[in-house]
Amino acid sequence: MEPLIKDRVKKVSKTKRLIKWILIWKYPLLFLTLFLVPIMIPIGFLFVLFILSSVSSAPNHQEQVVQGAVSSHFPSVAASYLPIYQTAGKKYRVPWNILAAIHKVETNFGQNLSVSTAGAKGQTQFMEKTWLGWRYPGGNRLGNLPDYINITDPKQIAKYGGYGVDANGDGKAEPSDPMDAIYATAKYLSANHRSGEDWFSQKGAVWQYNHDYSRYVLKVKKYAEEFIDPKITSTDSFLFPVQGGQITSQFGSRRHPIQKIVRQHDGVDIAKERGTPILAAEQGEVVESRPSSGYGWKIVVQHVNGFKTTYAHMYPQDVKVKVGQVVQKGEIIALVGSNGWSTGPHLHFEAEKDGQLIDPMYLFKK
C-alpha cells in the first residue's frame, strides 16, 4: 500500500503545479480574479470609507450667510421682532435684514394686518394655498381657499407641501403670528434662492415672493440696505494678519479653485510665501487650535465686543499658540502654509461679529 500512496501524492503534487502554471502563465487574468481581487475588495472599501469621511468633515461654506450688524436706521417699532428675524435668518440661511424689510413692506411690522385685494393675509401676507400647500385639491388659481379650510394644522401643511411654520411651538402655524409668519417667509425665500444668486435679482428669491420688481423687490432692497450697517466698527482697527500679503480671493460667492463649483467664500485669502509670520489681528483668547479637514490647521481667536477671527491652512508644526492662551495684537500665532484644500501658500482669514460671518476687510481701517 505504501508505494501506491506515494504515487498518489506525486500525482496530486504534479496536478497542483500544473494548475498553478496554467493560472499564472496561461491565464493570468483568471489568476488575478481568483487571488488578487478578493484581497483588493476590502482594501478598496476601506479607501472609499476614508474618502467619504474626509468629505463629510470638510467645511460646508454654504451653511452660513452674511448677516450684517443692525444700523441706527433700524426702526424702534420693530425692535421686539429683531431676535425673530435673526434666529429665522440663521435657521434658513437668509439675511435677517431682508426678512425685516419684507415685514416692513407687507404690513409695516404688523401694524396693518388687513387682507390684501388678492387675498393675502397675515404678518407677511401669504396666500392661503402657499401657506397650506399647492398640492391641496381646492381653492382658486390665485391661492384662495374657503373659510372653513383650516390652514394652521402643521400636519396638513406638511402633507400638502406648504410654507407655513409653527415656529413658536403652540401646535398651530398662524399667518397672523409674527414668529410663525417670519419663519415661514424665511423658509419660502430659502427654498427659492439659488446658491450664489443675488437675493434681489430679477426672478430671484424676493421676486418669487412678489413678482412686481420695480415696486416691490426694489422697495424691499431699499429697506434691507437701510436696516444694516455692514461696515463693522470697533474701538480700534484690526491688524492685517500677513504683512505684505496679497488678497487673492475676496469674501463672497466665487468659483471654488478645487471643487470647480460656485459657492460662498467665508473669508479672504491672503497669499504670501510659506513660513511668513501670521499675526493676531487683535488681542484675544485662542478658543480653537486644531486640524479641520479642508482648513488644514485652523486657529480661532475670540476678541472683545463679539468679534472672532479664524486663521487657516497652517501646518501643525508651524502653530505657535495653544487653546486658552491670550494673544496680543501683532503677536505671531503661526506661519503661512498650504495645508488642507489649498492651491498654494496663503492664509484663509475669516471674521465674525456676534456669531455672524462678515467681510474681514471691514475690520481694517481704510
Side-chain angles (χ1 to χ4, degrees):
M1 294 296 291
E2 187 174 340
L4 183 59
I5 293 173
K6 287 183 178 180
D7 186 59
R8 287 181 178 177
V9 170
K10 287 181 180 179
K11 287 182 179 180
V12 170
S13 179
K14 186 181 294 185
T15 302
K16 286 183 177 180
R17 287 197 300 271
L18 179 61
I19 292 172
K20 185 176 180 181
W21 180 86
I22 291 173
L23 287 176
I24 296 176
W25 302 109
K26 193 73 173 176
Y27 300 101
L29 290 178
L30 182 60
F31 171 74
L32 291 173
T33 302
L34 293 176
F35 293 93
L36 295 184
V37 170
I39 297 173
M40 294 304 296
I41 287 176
I43 294 175
F45 179 73
L46 292 174
F47 178 76
V48 170
L49 286 179
F50 172 77
I51 293 297
L52 290 175
S53 64
S54 298
V55 171
S56 63
S57 61
N60 183 352
H61 295 279
Q62 293 180 317
E63 288 185 354
Q64 292 180 292
V65 69
V66 185
Q67 304 278 5
V70 183
S71 78
S72 58
H73 300 291
F74 186 73
S76 58
V77 68
S80 62
Y81 298 127
L82 182 59
I84 302 176
Y85 302 142
Q86 292 174 329
T87 54
K90 188 172 184 179
K91 177 178 175 63
Y92 291 103
R93 302 187 298 277
V94 177
W96 71 264
N97 54 309
I98 295 179
L99 300 176
I102 288 176
H103 198 194
K104 163 66 179 175
V105 171
E106 294 289 2
T107 62
N108 195 22
F109 303 115
Q111 296 182 89
N112 179 13
L113 292 178
S114 59
V115 179
S116 75
T117 54
K121 59 177 60 176
Q123 292 277 342
T124 52
Q125 296 288 282
F126 269 85
M127 298 302 294
E128 291 169 315
K129 284 197 71 170
T130 304
W131 187 270
L132 179 61
W134 280 89
R135 293 201 299 266
Y136 181 81
N140 62 26
R141 63 182 183 84
L142 291 177
N144 303 116
L145 293 170
D147 291 338
Y148 62 83
I149 301 298
N150 179 17
I151 68 170
T152 66
D153 185 351
K155 292 182 180 179
Q156 294 297 305
I157 292 171
K159 178 180 178 180
Y160 296 117
Y163 290 99
V165 177
D166 175 22
N168 59 15
D170 65 355
K172 292 183 178 181
E174 294 274 8
S176 59
D177 180 87
M179 192 170 187
D180 290 354
I182 292 166
Y183 269 69
T185 300
K187 180 181 178 181
Y188 184 94
L189 293 175
S190 179
N192 287 278
H193 177 65
R194 293 190 295 269
S195 179
E197 181 183 56
D198 187 336
W199 292 91
F200 302 104
S201 65
Q202 292 197 15
K203 298 192 177 180
V206 177
W207 181 87
Q208 296 291 343
Y209 202 85
N210 186 309
H211 290 0
D212 191 332
Y213 186 77
S214 60
R215 290 185 297 178
Y216 185 83
V217 176
L218 294 182
K219 192 174 183 180
V220 170
K221 182 179 181 181
K222 171 181 173 292
Y223 283 119
E225 291 174 346
E226 286 182 5
F227 293 164
I228 63 167
D229 180 8
K231 296 198 173 186
I232 308 297
T233 57
S234 61
T235 55
D236 192 10
S237 64
F238 281 64
L239 183 70
F240 197 69
V242 180
Q243 298 300 295
Q246 180 182 2
I247 301 291
T248 56
S249 185
Q250 298 282 353
F251 178 86
S253 295
R254 67 162 185 178
R255 182 175 174 80
H256 195 281
I258 295 176
Q259 296 179 315
K260 307 302 182 185
I261 59 174
V262 176
R263 61 187 298 178
Q264 172 72 16
H265 187 220
D266 290 345
V268 295
D269 290 342
I270 308 171
K272 194 69 174 173
E273 57 266 19
R274 182 179 172 182
T276 301
I278 297 171
L279 311 179
E282 184 55 273
Q283 182 187 51
E285 180 184 353
V286 178
V287 293
E288 287 186 49
S289 180
R290 61 180 178 84
S292 183
S293 189
Y295 281 117
W297 192 282
K298 79 171 184 178
I299 297 172
V300 180
V301 179
Q302 179 71 59
H303 310 286
V304 297
N305 299 328
F307 289 99
K308 185 184 289 185
T309 52
T310 297
Y311 311 76
H313 294 311
M314 297 82 67
Y315 293 100
Q317 65 269 26
D318 294 334
V319 174
K320 311 295 183 184
V321 294
K322 297 179 180 179
V323 173
Q325 180 178 338
V326 175
V327 295
Q328 301 301 316
K329 179 178 179 178
E331 182 177 340
I332 298 175
I333 60 174
L335 305 178
V336 170
S338 187
N339 193 9
W341 289 0
S342 172
T343 57
H346 73 284
L347 169 68
H348 173 79
F349 180 65
E350 295 179 8
E352 294 180 33
K353 169 65 174 172
D354 298 327
Q356 302 293 344
L357 285 167
I358 61 172
D359 186 341
M361 299 309 293
Y362 290 137
L363 298 179
F364 313 118
K365 285 183 177 178
K366 303 294 189 289

